[in-house]
Amino acid sequence: MAKSLADQLMKAGLVDKNAAKKAERDKRKQSKHQHKGPTDADLEKQARLQRERDEKVERDRQLNRQRQEAEQAKAMKAQAAQMLEQNALRVDGDVRFSFTDARINKIKQLYVSQEIQDQLAKGRVAICSVDERYLVVAKAVAEKIAQRFAEAVIFLAEPDANQPDEDDPYADFVVPDDLMW
């Protein structure tokens, strides 16, 4: 059986017994350190795996947020549709009222009574859309619907600031333009 390199060197007189033992101890320590501590490749691999896990968690979080937003938007749209159905005004009439539907960029007509046409012009009622149908609702309902689903409100006239309200007790007393305070 062949002798180890240390034995051969001691026999040749190149190394003494203490130096051979010290070299053996150093070799064992070095091998222990290699087994105990992770190498750079292991650290890089762990860091890469951790990054991938973090990225996956972030992607999952983003997908969940998008799903929740979509579900919430769908619920708001359903609420708006329900409010429109419940609060729609009866508009049977023979007066044609034309308005622009900005969603489809077309002019549409709705046949309403003279009273509803006046209220539409003054901004007291609004035209809303649900399931490609046009419904007339009160302004307060239209504002609540706009908070939930803004695309449902198709037409809402801005009240004219120069025109006094019907309830205004001072409607008969017009303030002149050249009045100085």
Side-chain angles (χ1 to χ4, degrees), residues 11 31 36 42 45 52 72 80 104 114 123 143 150 169:
K11 190 172 185 183
S31 67
K36 280 188 178 179
D42 290 341
K45 183 178 178 182
E52 288 174 359
Q72 188 176 14
I104 58 175
Q114 185 63 43
E143 288 171 350

Side-chain angles (χ1 to χ4, degrees), residues 101 103-104 129-134:
D101 189 346
R103 297 175 306 155
I104 58 175
S129 175
V130 61
D131 299 328
E132 302 304 319
R133 292 183 337 196
Y134 297 101

Side-chain angles (χ1 to χ4, degrees), residues 19-148:
K21 285 184 181 181
K22 184 179 180 211
E24 181 109 9
R25 276 190 307 236
D26 290 343
K27 186 178 174 183
R28 269 194 239 123
K29 282 183 183 180
Q30 190 176 16
S31 67
K32 275 188 177 181
H33 285 295
Q34 284 180 351
H35 293 298
K36 280 188 178 179
T39 62
D40 289 340
D42 290 341
L43 291 174
E44 289 175 13
K45 183 178 178 182
Q46 286 176 356
R48 182 179 47 83
L49 290 174
Q50 184 63 36
R51 271 195 313 270
E52 288 174 359
R53 275 187 243 128
D54 292 344
E55 289 171 359
K56 184 180 182 319
V57 166
E58 186 60 32
R59 277 194 311 269
D60 291 345
R61 194 174 294 135
Q62 288 279 21
L63 286 174
N64 285 339
R65 189 174 322 136
Q66 288 174 352
R67 282 189 204 116
Q68 288 172 348
E69 288 173 359
E71 288 174 9
Q72 188 176 14
K74 187 177 179 181
M76 290 295 201
K77 187 175 180 179
Q79 277 183 349
Q82 184 179 14
M83 287 176 69
L84 281 171
E85 293 291 338
Q86 290 175 352
N87 296 302
L89 299 176
R90 194 149 184 234
V91 293
D92 296 336
D94 56 346
V95 178
R96 184 172 74 180
F97 186 80
S98 298
F99 59 95
T100 304
D101 189 346
R103 297 175 306 155
I104 58 175
N105 203 19
K106 289 191 177 182
I107 296 176
K108 295 289 189 169
Q109 291 89 27
L110 194 62
Y111 286 92
V112 297
S113 66
Q114 185 63 43
E115 180 186 344
I116 297 291
Q117 183 189 25
D118 292 341
Q119 290 180 352
L120 279 166
K122 292 178 183 176
R124 293 191 179 142
V125 294
I127 298 175
C128 297
S129 175
V130 61
D131 299 328
E132 302 304 319
R133 292 183 337 196
Y134 297 101
L135 303 171
V136 177
V137 295
K139 180 180 179 180
V141 175
E143 288 171 350
K144 287 181 183 178
I145 289 169
Q147 290 173 354
R148 289 169 175 75

